[in-house]
Amino acid sequence: MPDSIKVGERVERVMVVSKMVRRDFSGGKFLLFQFNDRDGVLRGVWWDPTEEAETSIPANDVVRVQGEITEYQGALQLKVSWLEKLAASEYDPTVFLPATPRDPDGLLEELMEAVASIGNEHLQELLRRIFGGDGFREVFLRAPAAKAWHHSYIGGLAEHVRDMTVMARAASKVYPEVDRDLLLAGVLLHDIGKIEELSVTNHISYSDRGRLVGHIVLGVEMLERHLAQMEAFPAELALRLKHMLLSHHGSLEHGSPVLPMTIEGMLLHYLDNLDAQVRGALMALERVGGEPGWTEYVKLLDRYLYRGEAEESEKGSDE
Amino acid sequence: MPDSIKVGERVERVMVVSKMVRRDFSGGKFLLFQFNDRDGVLRGVWWDPTEEAETSIPANDVVRVQGEITEYQGALQLKVSWLEKLAASEYDPTVFLPATPRDPDGLLEELMEAVASIGNEHLQELLRRIFGGDGFREVFLRAPAAKAWHHSYIGGLAEHVRDMTVMARAASKVYPEVDRDLLLAGVLLHDIGKIEELSVTNHISYSDRGRLVGHIVLGVEMLERHLAQMEAFPAELALRLKHMLLSHHGSLEHGSPVLPMTIEGMLLHYLDNLDAQVRGALMALERVGGEPGWTEYVKLLDRYLYRGEAEESEKGSDE
Amino acid sequence: MPDSIKVGERVERVMVVSKMVRRDFSGGKFLLFQFNDRDGVLRGVWWDPTEEAETSIPANDVVRVQGEITEYQGALQLKVSWLEKLAASEYDPTVFLPATPRDPDGLLEELMEAVASIGNEHLQELLRRIFGGDGFREVFLRAPAAKAWHHSYIGGLAEHVRDMTVMARAASKVYPEVDRDLLLAGVLLHDIGKIEELSVTNHISYSDRGRLVGHIVLGVEMLERHLAQMEAFPAELALRLKHMLLSHHGSLEHGSPVLPMTIEGMLLHYLDNLDAQVRGALMALERVGGEPGWTEYVKLLDRYLYRGEAEESEKGSDE
Amino acid sequence: MPDSIKVGERVERVMVVSKMVRRDFSGGKFLLFQFNDRDGVLRGVWWDPTEEAETSIPANDVVRVQGEITEYQGALQLKVSWLEKLAASEYDPTVFLPATPRDPDGLLEELMEAVASIGNEHLQELLRRIFGGDGFREVFLRAPAAKAWHHSYIGGLAEHVRDMTVMARAASKVYPEVDRDLLLAGVLLHDIGKIEELSVTNHISYSDRGRLVGHIVLGVEMLERHLAQMEAFPAELALRLKHMLLSHHGSLEHGSPVLPMTIEGMLLHYLDNLDAQVRGALMALERVGGEPGWTEYVKLLDRYLYRGEAEESEKGSDE
Amino acid sequence: MPDSIKVGERVERVMVVSKMVRRDFSGGKFLLFQFNDRDGVLRGVWWDPTEEAETSIPANDVVRVQGEITEYQGALQLKVSWLEKLAASEYDPTVFLPATPRDPDGLLEELMEAVASIGNEHLQELLRRIFGGDGFREVFLRAPAAKAWHHSYIGGLAEHVRDMTVMARAASKVYPEVDRDLLLAGVLLHDIGKIEELSVTNHISYSDRGRLVGHIVLGVEMLERHLAQMEAFPAELALRLKHMLLSHHGSLEHGSPVLPMTIEGMLLHYLDNLDAQVRGALMALERVGGEPGWTEYVKLLDRYLYRGEAEESEKGSDE
Amino acid sequence: MPDSIKVGERVERVMVVSKMVRRDFSGGKFLLFQFNDRDGVLRGVWWDPTEEAETSIPANDVVRVQGEITEYQGALQLKVSWLEKLAASEYDPTVFLPATPRDPDGLLEELMEAVASIGNEHLQELLRRIFGGDGFREVFLRAPAAKAWHHSYIGGLAEHVRDMTVMARAASKVYPEVDRDLLLAGVLLHDIGKIEELSVTNHISYSDRGRLVGHIVLGVEMLERHLAQMEAFPAELALRLKHMLLSHHGSLEHGSPVLPMTIEGMLLHYLDNLDAQVRGALMALERVGGEPGWTEYVKLLDRYLYRGEAEESEKGSDE
């Protein structure tokens, strides 16, 4: 809990109920809580709770709670006066999870700019339908790009896609043979299934469909649902785009049911891989401890990473 | 060509045009042909062909041809009097391709019996919709189960599925925990995408969608199209069935985007693999040459197969 | 210990001595014990033990112990009056180890029925010699099929072999080219070396020969010892059967020194693998904890297993 | 040979001697030749050659030859009047080998611009020393980037490096944590050892040192030779740059003795891999035959590549 | 055929019948032959052959043939006067196959010296029984150590084993912890099963048991047959020796059913591997063509081998 | 600490400071220590330390400390009177690390004998330069051959190289085609880079260059520095020797950037691998616990190792 919280203060906070126990006393019953949010842990007690509270609040639910800070056995305790369960749409997940340091609206704006730059009218319409869909914006900006590696935080998906669009534009200049519009559309849509694969409440987890179907096929299904409503969309173009989503992991053993067989599919894979690996390494360099100059062994990369000599870290200053 | 063909005979045959050359002579032009069917090769000539014949018949097309057998330079030659191009539905592919030795109608009957044995009404309805679909019967009975390995012949798919149903029934007795209805449905539908993946005309080839999407996802899309019209179909059951189709190759490196995570999915994979490998080996034992007792090296199995000593081959007689 | 045990009760139990310490007191010495069986832990004390007890009972020995339940420092303690060490044949291993839920005699009867169904007189005689051997029945019914995965319990081997015979019979109908008698004989004998590989006392462990030679070669040696006494046994048939035992793991990296090169060898491998994997998954589904709908990560399968939604678990009832 | 060559014409050409045979006749001897260049094959004859010609011209040598075009047995034949062997520096290899379609001077200019953009004075000086070295320009512009895959033509190395600098600049904007100067230096130098690994005369081959040492270590040795003369070069910076050269293949099994352990090393690897794979696929799409819509099987990519439907190829026009 | 053979000469030679055809003429019948030995091919004719010759001589049989050299249509032809089929023991296989350049008796003597140096009486007796067995000497000296790689010639097995004993003696000095007697016994016996695995007549091939059982298990069976007759042989020593034979390929994927788990087993594997690889490379350097300084690509080693500059090849002279 | 240390004794020891804390008291300050060496742990206190001691002694430094043994709270405590930090050259690392049981001078003598036996004058001079270099002896004898597996102790490198020379000499007799001088030189120099890769102070760790460059390339660089000063050294010989160092790991995935392509390179690899694996297993047998007869699971070998029955361990005595 933040140091600023003081005994006697009245608070209203959104927290997750990590434990709840019912106790009886002569005059009735009370509930003992352990609440968590990103600031840490807070114990609580609710005397004479509502009837429904006890039964309807399983552990791990997110609640809005009001009350007063008291002290009990030398530690702070929240004396609850009111508490209600919240639906996923009623709270900001960044209360519990780390989020991209970048401005979400700025990220989205950059993506919409990329959409606007697409000359092919079919692809442009498709992207406008998807990105402009009802509620899509909220869901998309909330999504991480992975559960436990690169971009595994709120907004990670948007950040990953935005960074890839920048490099995709450079690549399409280097390889004029590439259909730039198709490449950009593939970049924008390649991980769209992550929205359904990963469930983001107060923690990131896989949905049942996420595990049993996987984000690649879930993404293709989302694409098909939109294409089904666009009669004029050229079949060949749809096939090429679908192929890019299916093949973007680059190899069967990484979960793509087919290998990339078009230039746009190959580029999508290599750009995706580059951004995932480099972002993952940057996160490891930032977060992981270790000896001077080095991180601990980073399992997902199967290596140590070198931070360099202390002097070197100031290298930027005089250059 | 069959030995029975004689000079002077009039014939009408369905054959594939493997070569066609136009020649001019003083009085006009003629076309020289090489025709093929499963009996072998026949040369032909067409004097004063129709205008359209020359332009509309690319090599590899299947045609119905009428004419008279003549002799030219010591070999039989068909003097064509009429020739017309046929659509895929207008000829029997077994003219060109090997076919299952079993009775197609018998195979289908056994499959429909398996469908009838399914107690779950949703699964039963789904299977009736698919197997009873317009024209499905013809397409399904024509399909091979692979391009170049096990069951790579007309009717191979039906044979593969039928053989798996027999063993799936035995397995569901051994493992009563298994949902027998779901297992049978999975067996019946697991390779349904092969219908779109493989193109069977006068030879077996991959369709563009077959290569770029793959039969696993094509099959799931067919399933989804039917489920979209069955509102009462339980979502959980649909998810489990879809998971079986997606995971039936058993591992990512064999092209399944997810591993089997249900008992029915695991059983489906092991039954599929067993039948594919054993049928493939039986075909190799039947077709491949070699030294006494042994086949040649069978690349797809990475081994020689043992036929055994000659005496041993009569082992069945006195037992 | 079972809740039913009460202070003052006299008991006689078979247990393993997990710890034993000698203490001296003015009037002589006593032994302190920790006993274990499948019900849990019981402490014990033996005043004035026999001379021989102290020296001849190393930890992990199985003993029959008599005495009276007392209380010491708030816990039950067995005051030992008599204790004797047991040989492996003198106690029922299911006191310590889980066992197949099926009836052992029923399993054996089914196996003997399978033997009886074998038409080839040589194979039938061989199987009768082995399964009818002195003491074989006890050893065979005690054996697990693995140390720590599928069928890793008393009677697991018999269960594994029986389940495979059911599916082998179905398979031999699907593939009439298969020598059904040889296939059944291979199924019945394929893991026979497990009897020597795994040592089953109060826990399952590898014998020295089990680790240094392995059950595949141990099984072949057992086979050879019997064949050496059957002069009329056809050499070719013996070779084919031996090949099946050697190759049944299906690949070199799984410990078979040769690949299956006969149809019967291939079928044996695929049936063995199917039953091992599916039984292993069923055991994991039954035993392993996890979140709702899912098991924990199952290392040996490299995946989570899906139990499904709660509602789905009642799927059987109305279908 | 170009169609424009006519009988009676006098020519002077640089060609490779692909065959040479000596013949004797009554009045002396003559030499019969087969010459090759990128235009094709030309036969030749030299009456009364110089003494030295016969002994000093082994097959595969490059020569400058003068003579007159004659006709012999219905084909063109060069009647040689003069012929001299050329050293590698005396002819333009593009006479024999394909070359980048881009302007070599333009490529080099772009590379020198990249050098100029480097703020770190040590790295800038190092790059100027290497790229400005005596004769370096010629050698560098001649080098391919591989023997038989991507960029396997004259100027391929320069093209590969130039294309990577464009994408490296985009990447350094996406990842501001990256030391842009170091990344660019690594890109410019990463394949410098190819100059010594590959020998480019009238064909591309490996030098002995190329095979026995490899371009990675050869490149590090070139780097060390220059660094040895730059006393003020910071040791840490040298170590990071050397690490990039050593690790740029990204994994041990691809020939790097160490894995990339810095962000700049990782980025270098992923950019290198992206450009190699995409350029290789573009070359395959351009050169390799196949059925309509598809290339033949491309072994180095382990897949077919999709060219798409003919109609689709005009996709650019109306969008 | 050797140049020295002349028309009119009478010869008696051992050759293999690579083809035989029967022809009839008015006065009876004759047989046409093609004979082969290491000198090449010789055609032959037999007028009025024995009744039995025609039926009892299948192709690939080895025969002793007498006759006179004649000329027919410009080529030498043997006019056969007598011909008889030979059993494997009746001819010297080096007539058809390459053989070790070393003296077979010398090799055997060195092996028997190694046997004599073994202090452990049980091991010594075992080795004397095996190496001194009836006819063992001939069979052992004939055996190659592989079909198509290192030591793939007559006497190759003896050579391989002898070379390993030299290095095993050095190794047992380096590692005094090793049981030298056991190591030597393991070296002498490790490939003993090759005698039954490979069939050496006029060419090297696998026997049926060789393919279906493999030389590792065949060797263990030979060992067991001898041990069964040596009652005093210590069980532990037998187990360790058997383990060495079983594990000497060093890994499951190379065909050992168990990994080496003793020091002697590990040493045996590494010595075996060293000698196989180095001898294989020496043979490739000697036999395989290539460009100056290099062999062609050697598939079994997955690399080119370097012969070095011509000058270097004289390096031995002044050192 | 050794049992022999008594209260009141004055001691002077070299130890590592594993912890140091400053405390203040009314009359000034004191430092509390925890010292470690191979004998164990000793606590210490320094009243009124020098000003500089407190700031200049970070944890893990090696110090020489003088003082008197006292007792504090029932344990021995060193009352420090003097303490000074030592540089790496000022103490014997065997105070902290295990060392080879062999005599270092004897090892070096054997290596110098091997050098002396080399006939090629260039190789001999090179080896004398390197092994006779200033301070080389100390550094070389201190080096382990690995951080955490075979020979991971002081002197391990010398021991590893010496043992390989013995077997290399035997091998060069078995293969007379091998250039014995080159092989010995390769053995002596192959791991020379370990001196710079591993840092040996009071523990073994990787240096920054060790991780980022690796001992293979570091070794080649050391070689090049010496060769640069030997003008007469034949280029071909240098290339072959360098190739041996680069390729001695035997495969790319083990960190060699090129495969061994010469016989000497191949032999070096197999000898290196043999000694590393066998020494590693001997160390595991000596140090690792386990059940009777067996070690625990040895991860680096992926197996259990067999020690054998107790009786067997006396096998040496009566044989």
Side-chain angles (χ1 to χ4, degrees), chain E residues 129-150:
Chain E
R129 272 173 179 270
I130 295 178
F131 279 80
D134 228 24
F136 183 86
R137 191 190 168 286
E138 285 68 32
V139 171
F140 186 78
L141 285 180
R142 174 179 289 214
K147 183 175 184 308
W149 177 215
H150 68 96

Side-chain angles (χ1 to χ4, degrees), chain D residues 4-174:
Chain D
S4 56
I5 290 191
K6 300 274 182 269
V7 172
E9 197 175 339
R10 288 204 59 82
V11 298
E12 174 175 327
R13 294 179 77 94
V14 172
M15 294 188 286
V16 64
V17 177
S18 49
K19 281 190 206 157
M20 185 180 78
V21 184
R22 176 205 162 113
R23 287 277 189 279
D24 296 302
F25 70 109
S26 52
K29 67 179 177 200
F30 59 94
L31 298 175
L32 292 173
F33 292 94
Q34 181 180 308
F35 300 111
N36 282 73
D37 61 16
R38 291 188 69 195
D39 290 328
V41 173
L42 183 64
R43 295 181 178 276
V45 62
W46 193 3
W47 298 93
D48 291 315
T50 58
E51 200 55 42
E52 147 211 36
E54 186 184 352
T55 54
S56 71
I57 304 181
N60 285 322
D61 259 347
V62 175
V63 294
R64 171 172 296 117
V65 60
Q66 297 173 330
E68 188 185 333
I69 301 296
T70 60
E71 190 170 341
Y72 177 69
Q73 296 185 337
L76 298 182
Q77 189 185 53
L78 178 66
K79 192 172 150 203
V80 175
S81 57
W82 182 248
L83 179 154
E84 67 182 329
K85 188 176 159 183
L86 299 181
S89 60
E90 294 176 307
Y91 62 92
D92 174 3
T94 63
V95 174
F96 307 105
L97 289 169
T100 172
R102 308 195 207 165
D103 170 37
D105 292 314
L107 282 173
L108 201 69
E109 203 175 308
E110 288 189 79
L111 296 182
M112 294 318 291
E113 242 175 80
V115 170
S117 82
I118 289 179
N120 182 302
E121 60 188 323
H122 302 296
L123 291 171
Q124 169 127 199
E125 189 196 334
L126 173 71
L127 287 161
R128 290 205 183 282
R129 271 171 180 271
I130 295 178
F131 280 79
D134 227 23
F136 183 87
R137 190 188 170 287
E138 287 66 32
V139 172
F140 186 78
L141 285 180
R142 175 179 287 212
K147 182 174 184 311
W149 177 217
H150 70 95
H151 305 91
S152 52
Y153 41 73
I154 303 287
L157 179 56
E159 193 183 310
H160 174 48
V161 170
R162 179 265 167 195
D163 286 352
M164 283 174 67
T165 59
V166 175
M167 291 184 287
R169 287 170 172 207
S172 67
K173 275 175 206 145
V174 170

Side-chain angles (χ1 to χ4, degrees), chain B residues 241-262:
Chain B
L241 184 56
K242 184 156 75 170
H243 174 67
M244 290 173 77
L245 269 68
L246 284 172
S247 66
H248 83 267
H249 279 199
S251 62
L252 302 195
E253 59 268 34
H254 290 99
S256 271
V258 286
L259 296 179
M261 297 181 228
T262 60

Side-chain angles (χ1 to χ4, degrees), chain E residues 84-157:
Chain E
E84 65 181 329
K85 190 175 159 182
L86 298 181
S89 60
E90 293 176 307
Y91 64 92
D92 175 1
T94 63
V95 174
F96 307 106
L97 290 170
T100 172
R102 309 193 207 169
D103 169 37
D105 292 314
L107 282 173
L108 202 68
E109 203 175 306
E110 289 190 79
L111 295 183
M112 294 317 291
E113 243 175 79
V115 170
S117 82
I118 289 179
N120 182 301
E121 61 187 321
H122 303 295
L123 290 172
Q124 168 126 202
E125 188 196 335
L126 172 71
L127 288 162
R128 290 206 183 282
R129 272 173 179 270
I130 295 178
F131 279 80
D134 228 24
F136 183 86
R137 191 190 168 286
E138 285 68 32
V139 171
F140 186 78
L141 285 180
R142 174 179 289 214
K147 183 175 184 308
W149 177 215
H150 68 96
H151 304 93
S152 51
Y153 41 73
I154 305 288
L157 179 57

Side-chain angles (χ1 to χ4, degrees), chain E residues 120 167 175 179 236 240 260-261 263 270 275 277 285 303-309 312 315 319, chain F residues 120 167 175 179 236 240 260-261 263 270 275 277 285 303-304 306-309 312 315 319:
Chain E
N120 182 301
M167 291 183 287
Y175 312 110
D179 183 334
E236 168 86 2
R240 281 172 171 274
M261 297 181 229
I263 280 295
Y270 287 110
D275 189 51
Q277 299 296 323
L285 280 166
R303 73 194 75 174
Y304 297 86
L305 289 176
Y306 184 56
R307 292 199 169 96
E309 292 181 7
E312 181 61 9
K315 66 181 177 300
E319 282 164 18
Chain F
N120 182 301
M167 292 183 288
Y175 311 110
D179 183 334
E236 170 86 1
R240 281 172 170 274
M261 295 180 231
I263 280 295
Y270 288 110
D275 189 52
Q277 298 296 323
L285 281 166
R303 72 194 73 174
Y304 297 87
Y306 185 55
R307 293 200 169 93
E309 293 180 6
E312 180 61 11
K315 65 183 179 300
E319 280 165 19

Side-chain angles (χ1 to χ4, degrees), chain A residues 120 175 260-261 275 303 306, chain D residues 175 260-261 275 303 306 319:
Chain A
N120 181 302
Y175 312 109
M261 296 181 230
D275 189 51
R303 73 193 73 174
Y306 184 55
Chain D
Y175 312 109
M261 296 181 229
D275 189 51
R303 72 193 74 174
Y306 185 55
E319 281 163 18

Side-chain angles (χ1 to χ4, degrees), chain E residues 24-306:
Chain E
D24 296 302
F25 70 111
S26 52
K29 68 178 176 203
F30 59 94
L31 298 175
L32 292 173
F33 292 94
Q34 182 180 305
F35 300 111
N36 283 72
D37 61 15
R38 289 188 71 194
D39 291 329
V41 173
L42 184 64
R43 297 183 175 277
V45 62
W46 194 2
W47 300 92
D48 291 316
T50 59
E51 199 56 43
E52 148 210 35
E54 186 185 353
T55 53
S56 71
I57 304 179
N60 283 324
D61 259 345
V62 175
V63 294
R64 171 172 297 113
V65 61
Q66 296 173 331
E68 189 185 332
I69 301 295
T70 60
E71 191 170 339
Y72 179 67
Q73 296 186 337
L76 298 182
Q77 190 184 52
L78 178 66
K79 194 173 149 201
V80 175
S81 58
W82 183 248
L83 178 154
E84 65 181 329
K85 190 175 159 182
L86 298 181
S89 60
E90 293 176 307
Y91 64 92
D92 175 1
T94 63
V95 174
F96 307 106
L97 290 170
T100 172
R102 309 193 207 169
D103 169 37
D105 292 314
L107 282 173
L108 202 68
E109 203 175 306
E110 289 190 79
L111 295 183
M112 294 317 291
E113 243 175 79
V115 170
S117 82
I118 289 179
N120 182 301
E121 61 187 321
H122 303 295
L123 290 172
Q124 168 126 202
E125 188 196 335
L126 172 71
L127 288 162
R128 290 206 183 282
R129 272 173 179 270
I130 295 178
F131 279 80
D134 228 24
F136 183 86
R137 191 190 168 286
E138 285 68 32
V139 171
F140 186 78
L141 285 180
R142 174 179 289 214
K147 183 175 184 308
W149 177 215
H150 68 96
H151 304 93
S152 51
Y153 41 73
I154 305 288
L157 179 57
E159 193 185 310
H160 174 48
V161 170
R162 179 266 169 195
D163 286 352
M164 283 175 66
T165 60
V166 175
M167 291 183 287
R169 287 170 172 208
S172 67
K173 274 175 206 146
V174 170
Y175 312 110
E177 301 88 337
V178 164
D179 183 334
R180 179 191 167 284
D181 290 351
L182 186 58
L183 177 62
L184 270 184
V187 165
L188 288 159
L189 296 176
H190 79 287
D191 264 353
I192 207 79
K194 289 265 167 90
I195 289 172
E196 297 190 355
E197 183 187 52
L198 295 173
S199 151
V200 181
T201 55
N202 56 314
H203 65 294
I204 302 174
S205 61
Y206 282 95
S207 67
D208 287 356
R209 295 171 68 212
R211 275 219 190 110
L212 293 170
V213 178
H215 77 271
I216 284 187
V217 173
L218 289 172
V220 166
E221 288 179 5
M222 292 173 67
L223 177 64
E224 290 284 346
R225 283 196 296 273
H226 287 276
L227 288 175
Q229 295 160 20
M230 296 175 68
E231 287 192 6
F233 202 97
E236 168 86 2
L237 190 62
L239 180 58
R240 281 172 171 274
L241 183 57
K242 184 156 74 172
H243 174 67
M244 289 172 77
L245 268 68
L246 284 172
S247 67
H248 84 267
H249 280 199
S251 62
L252 303 195
E253 59 268 33
H254 289 99
S256 271
V258 286
L259 295 180
M261 297 181 229
T262 61
I263 280 295
E264 291 81 15
M266 288 183 71
L267 252 177
L268 173 61
H269 163 62
Y270 287 110
L271 290 171
D272 181 30
N273 196 33
L274 185 156
D275 189 51
Q277 299 296 323
V278 172
R279 180 62 60 199
L282 285 169
M283 286 172 65
L285 280 166
E286 196 184 312
R287 299 185 185 180
V288 172
E291 328 153 52
W294 293 90
T295 62
E296 287 164 12
Y297 195 78
V298 183
K299 267 210 180 162
L300 275 158
L301 289 172
D302 227 7
R303 73 194 75 174
Y304 297 86
L305 289 176
Y306 184 56

